[in-house]
Amino acid sequence: MKLPSMKASGFTPWPEEAVRQYQEAGYWTEQTIPEMLEASAGTYPEQVALVSGDQQWTYQALADQVDELAAGFQQTLKLKAGDKAVLHLPNIGAFYLSFFALLKIGVQPVLALPAHRYYEIRYFCHFTEAKALITAPQMGVDTADIAQKVANELPTLETIVWAGDNSLKPTGSVDLDSLFLSNAATEPMQEQDFAFFQLSGGTTGTPKLIPRTHTDYLYSVRASNDVCKFSHQTRYLCVLPAAHNFPLSSPGALGCFMAGGMVVLSPDPSPQTAFQLIENHQITVAALVPPLALLWLDEAPRTQYDISSLQVLQVGGARFSEAAARRVKPTLNCTLQQVFGMAEGLVNYTRLDDPDSVIVSTQGRPMSPADEILVVNEMGEPVPQGTAGMLCARGPYTIRGYYNAPEHNQRSFITGGYYRTGDVVVLTKEGNLQVVGRDKEQINRGGEKIAAQEIENHLMVHDAVHDAAVIAIPDDYLGERSCAALVCLEDKPKPIEIKRFLRNRGLAEFKIPDRVIFVDVLPKTPVGKINKNKLLELV
Ligand code: OOB
């Protein structure tokens, strides 16, 4: 089958036949993401929707403020449908307000992570020709300086919006607070091919952007809510960065908003902060990456806080060891749910009523009956059940192409439009997936993804570096850490200088190699590629 081609907007649509099938089955509806919030405000106007520090919003207040902000974006900033805006926000209420308000007027936000720095933010603003960057103070990071530098370099970036303390704001920036216009109507949204951008964990030299539509994303949220049983009684603690696909949509904050539940934002992921919030707000569900789950497991037996309201702990983003998984129920007295998902779409869950043996030893199964998965060998042929193979997926919420990346799309999508996940899995007899390895040049550092090639490209810019390879090294706590192996012909710089060099280039901290080693040559495979397995033996 021919791959559907990319539209001028950079978006690859689903083939018409698939669209018809998803619509007829009722998976795809016409509702937009802001309409979902409005529907909940209609049903639960007085319920608390969102808590962030000492601020809280009822559903009505949230929906009203989204309208006011949408009017400000449109009338004060002159943002129009089809414009792009980069959101670089920590876990504060302004994240959801801005997200919904931009969607409401058809502006397509790029959901950057708080850990991103100058290099990534500049790239997103440049690649999408973003008109606005919405940012806020963050502990230990000069986000104002990042925004200012990016704006000075990119004439397309017209506005910096600052969501926080005025005294820290970049010169020339606009206060988010000044953009709420009451009693001002917004023009109705013009339909766009897609709603916003998620970010790919990446395997290539430059980060890839993932266009998600209102329709596919809302379907994934609705299907997640069914599996995870989110309701108006759900109280969700958002510990991971709010912009990430896992806490945003699996079912995450959007699932909670759809069901009429309450989202509580945790300003930091430490168990101390989170446990206090669990007690104060009677939290019922939270989502973590494995290293944080380990910290929670260690802290729980000695905490002074009452965390008995917690019913479900979701863990995903990276492999959770069976040994750790077994500790969750006895230690936290709640159900573990493993979540194996990706910003490109497919999300697998263990079910809440699965036997414990399934919950601790598998990463679950696709959430939707319409998800189609293939487990294949290098030739693209299906492997027998029980044998490890590469996971490929398509379905009603899995993208058919990255944004404006035709060459990369040729490699990432196979015949039939299946997305090549790069994950090596085993399908169990019961139909659950176990993630057993990876067939992509990526390091999964406790859930934070690093594209080896991206870091190698940066390293090669250093004068003393003749050749570079970045590999994953096993780590008890993070699962993996990164190691850069460098070939230097003359003077070897100190590892600390290499790290400083990368930091000065403005890379996110999690991408800075944990170790730097020097080798005489990089081992090669018979076809001349760097032999990273061999390299690992040298570490
Ligand atoms: C989630 O999304 P991304 O886009 O940051 O990363 C996706 C990749 C997967 O392809 C896989 O390599 C890895 O992260 N991964 C896991 C995993 N969950 C994700 N590897 C092993 N075990 C797991 N449970 O990470 C993401 C998106 C939505 C929900 C949950 C996670």
Side-chain angles (χ1 to χ4, degrees), residues 244-246 250 317-319 339-343 423 440 444 449:
H244 189 268
N245 201 49
F246 183 14
S250 305
R319 212 184 94 78
V339 187
F340 162 39
M342 51 210 74
D423 293 310
K440 54 184 169 187
N444 189 335
K449 316 299 180 323

Side-chain angles (χ1 to χ4, degrees), residues 192-272:
Q192 301 296 311
D193 283 338
F194 62 96
F196 68 97
F197 297 98
Q198 270 291 355
L199 302 176
S200 154
T203 53
T204 56
T206 47
K208 293 288 169 286
L209 279 82
I210 299 172
R212 301 291 304 253
T213 63
H214 290 277
T215 309
D216 90 78
Y217 213 61
L218 278 185
Y219 171 63
S220 81
V221 173
R222 209 175 317 114
S224 293
N225 269 3
D226 281 349
V227 168
C228 304
K229 312 264 182 283
F230 272 33
S231 75
H232 67 281
Q233 286 167 330
T234 298
R235 290 159 169 249
Y236 178 80
L237 184 65
C238 184
V239 176
L240 299 173
H244 189 268
N245 201 49
F246 183 14
L248 187 60
S249 69
S250 305
L254 292 186
C256 213
F257 292 144
M258 184 184 269
M262 178 169 108
V263 175
V264 177
L265 282 168
S266 187
D268 73 76
S270 71
Q272 290 79 4

Side-chain angles (χ1 to χ4, degrees), residues 86-90 110 112-117 121 133-136 138 141 143 146:
V86 173
L87 286 188
H88 186 213
L89 293 172
V110 180
L113 297 173
H116 286 138
R117 295 290 173 268
I121 300 301
L133 167 61
I134 304 181
T135 186
Q138 262 190 62
V141 195
T143 46
I146 293 176

